[in-house]
Amino acid sequence: SLPAKLINGGIAGLIGVTCVFPIDLAKTRLQNQQNGQRMYTSLSDCLIKTIRSEGYFGMYRGAAVNLTLVTPEKAIKLAANDFFRHHLSKDGKKLTLMREMLAGCGAGTCQVIVTTPMEMLKIQLQDAGRIAAQKKLMAAQAQLSSSSAAGAAEPAVETRTTATQITRELLRSKGIAGLYKGLGATLLRDVPFSIVYFPLFANLNKLGQKDPNVKAPFYVSFLSGCVAGSTAAVAVNPCDVIKTRLQSLQRGVNEDTYSGILDCTKKIWQKEGPTAFFKGAYCRALVIAPLFGIAQVVYFIGIAEFLLDMLPKHRA
C-alpha cells in the first residue's frame, strides 16, 4: 500500500542519513574547494580538521535539514519508482530494460520537488565551516606577513546561521525560486542516477531470488543496493559537482562564481581540469552505497507493513 511505501522510505532514509552524514559533509567540502584555495587533501583530512576546529558535532552540520526532509524525499523516490513500474508493466509481465529506465526517470523527476531545497539548505550549512576556516587562515597569513602586528587584521569569526534563517532570507529576497536554485543541475544529476540505479538494483536483486514470487534474502537486497548505488553515484558525480557549486551561496576567498550549468562546466574544465568533475566521487560512493543498501533492506523487509498490521490489533 502507498502508506506502507511512504513509511518504509522514510525509515530507510532516517537510518541511512544518520550513518553516513559525516562522509556527505566531507564530499560537499571537497567538491566546493577550488585549486589554489584547498583546505583539505582527502576524506580523512577533512574529517580530522573538521573535528579539531568545529568539534565532533561539526561533522553533522546540516544534518537536521536532511533528517527532516529525507523522509519525504526517499518516500517519493521509492514509491514513485514502484508506481511507474506498475503502470509500465503489461499484464504483470517482466519489464524491459527500457521501461525500467523510464520508471527510474519518472522517480528521479518526482523527487526533485523535495531534493532541491533540501540540498540547497544542507550545502550552505555543510560548507560554512570550510569558508570560515579559509578566512581564518588568510587572516593569519596576512598577520604574519604584516610588518606591524598592531596594524594586522583580526582573524575572522564565523557567524553561525541556521536553516530557518537561510530559508527566511531566500524567501524574502527571491521568493520560492530561491529555494530551487540549481533545479536544472539537480534534475541533471537525479534523473540519470535513477535511470542507472533502479534497473541495476532490480536485476541484481533478481539474481538472489530462488523463486520469482519470493523476496530475495535481506543481504542480497543490501548488497544489490550498495553496488547499484555506488555505481550510479560515480557515474553522475560530474553533475553532482556542478550542482554543489551552483547551489553554494557563499564563496571562499578568490573562488569563482557561476551563472549557470554551462558557465560552471566551462570554468571548472578550463581552470581545474577534467579530473575536478570527479572530486568527492569516492566520498559519494561511500555515502550512497550504505544509504541505498539500508534503504532497500528496510523497504523490502516491509517494516511499515508490520506496524500497520499491528495498529488495528493494538486499538482492539
Side-chain angles (χ1 to χ4, degrees):
S1 64
L2 182 60
K5 291 174 182 177
L6 297 178
I7 294 171
N8 279 330
I11 293 171
L14 291 173
I15 295 172
V17 168
T18 303
C19 294
V20 301
F21 193 84
I23 304 174
D24 186 62
L25 178 136
K27 186 258 326 175
T28 297
R29 294 189 177 186
L30 288 170
Q31 286 183 340
N32 259 337
Q33 64 180 7
Q34 300 178 20
N35 288 349
Q37 303 295 334
R38 293 171 63 105
M39 291 293 301
Y40 315 107
T41 58
S42 64
L43 167 64
S44 58
D45 181 57
C46 181
L47 292 178
I48 290 170
K49 287 179 178 177
T50 298
I51 293 172
R52 285 177 180 172
S53 61
E54 303 168 55
Y56 174 78
F57 290 104
M59 295 190 298
Y60 283 88
R61 294 182 69 171
V65 175
N66 246 35
L67 291 172
T68 302
L69 297 178
V70 74
T71 298
E73 188 259 350
K74 282 289 177 289
I76 290 171
K77 188 186 189 81
L78 295 173
N81 181 66
D82 272 4
F83 173 82
F84 287 117
R85 287 178 69 90
H86 173 72
H87 285 278
L88 287 169
S89 63
K90 293 182 177 179
D91 302 323
K93 293 181 180 179
K94 181 181 177 181
L95 285 173
T96 62
L97 178 60
M98 186 59 66
R99 287 177 179 268
E100 287 183 332
M101 293 172 70
L102 189 59
C105 178
T109 304
C110 289
Q111 78 171 80
V112 298
I113 298 169
V114 177
T115 302
T116 304
M118 179 181 75
E119 293 273 313
M120 176 73 177
L121 296 171
K122 182 194 72 170
I123 285 171
Q124 313 317 314
L125 298 171
Q126 285 183 329
D127 204 38
R130 179 188 72 88
I131 294 172
Q134 188 189 81
K135 288 179 178 178
K136 288 179 182 179
L137 180 63
M138 295 292 286
Q141 290 175 345
Q143 189 171 12
L144 288 173
S145 61
S146 176
S147 57
S148 172
E154 290 294 324
V157 177
E158 180 188 359
T159 302
R160 294 212 172 196
T161 56
T162 65
T164 303
Q165 291 173 326
I166 296 171
T167 302
R168 286 175 179 170
E169 178 58 28
L170 285 171
L171 290 174
R172 185 189 63 79
S173 60
K174 299 182 180 179
I176 192 68
L179 291 173
Y180 281 87
K181 183 181 179 182
L183 175 62
T186 305
L187 278 168
L188 199 62
R189 181 197 68 172
D190 288 348
V191 172
F193 178 92
S194 295
I195 289 173
V196 174
Y197 172 78
F198 283 111
L200 183 57
F201 168 80
N203 286 281
L204 289 174
N205 197 56
K206 284 177 185 176
L207 296 176
Q209 290 180 280
K210 295 181 180 179
D211 188 317
N213 298 318
V214 179
K215 288 182 180 180
F218 78 93
Y219 63 86
V220 173
S221 292
F222 176 76
L223 291 174
S224 298
C226 288
V227 173
S230 57
T231 301
V234 173
V236 302
N237 197 76
C239 300
D240 190 55
V241 172
I242 294 168
K243 182 200 72 68
T244 300
R245 296 279 182 97
L246 288 175
Q247 288 189 319
S248 297
L249 298 176
Q250 294 186 352
R251 302 289 176 188
V253 180
N254 299 324
E255 289 184 343
D256 287 327
T257 57
Y258 312 102
S259 59
I261 294 173
L262 293 177
D263 180 57
C264 182
T265 304
K266 181 180 178 181
K267 287 180 178 177
I268 292 174
W269 183 278
Q270 291 178 341
K271 297 184 179 182
E272 302 175 58
T275 56
F277 290 105
F278 286 92
K279 283 183 176 181
Y282 64 96
C283 293
R284 184 162 161 75
L286 288 175
V287 169
I288 296 297
L291 183 63
F292 277 84
I294 293 168
Q296 291 296 355
V297 168
V298 172
Y299 196 64
F300 275 83
I301 286 176
I303 291 176
E305 286 86 343
F306 174 76
L307 294 174
L308 291 172
D309 286 343
M310 291 295 292
L311 190 58
K313 296 177 184 178
H314 178 70
R315 285 177 178 174

